[in-house]
Amino acid sequence: GLVAAVFADPPAVAAARAWRPEGWATLLRGATATRERAAAFAPLAAIASVTAAGMARLDRAAGDGWLAVGDAAACHDPLTSHGIGSALHQGPHAAAAILA
């Protein structure tokens, strides 16, 4: 079997109608390396899901008596695991700010 993901912005997903097999194929044509690996498998018959995996952040991460850290301050695209590295980087800085 094959599990594949295409990262695209919402207008590209909508324009391609990526929730349909032919729309998915349109996006996949633009992902050369993934397309080449997928070619060894049978043609796509169905799409499991198309899901938005966006990012968000607070306008302010701190205020009088409070500090937002990790996903409370900013949530990152869960498919790329960027949030893990960000949390590991932010933790010591947050601890120093709290101790200060």
Side-chain angles (χ1 to χ4, degrees):
L2 172 71
V3 174
V6 172
F7 293 85
D9 52 358
V13 171
R17 298 179 60 176
W19 53 90
R20 303 184 59 161
E22 54 276 4
W24 171 260
T26 298
L27 289 180
L28 189 59
R29 277 194 291 279
T32 309
T34 302
R35 182 188 69 229
E36 290 171 1
R37 287 190 293 274
F41 294 86
L44 183 63
I47 301 296
S49 66
V50 173
T51 303
M55 298 172 58
R57 65 176 173 80
L58 294 178
D59 290 334
R60 287 182 24 204
D64 187 24
W66 67 276
L67 173 65
V69 180
D71 283 349
C75 59
H76 300 277
D77 172 3
L79 300 175
T80 62
S81 300
H82 179 74
I84 295 170
S86 178
L88 291 171
H89 175 76
Q90 290 177 8
H93 296 289
I98 290 167
L99 290 172

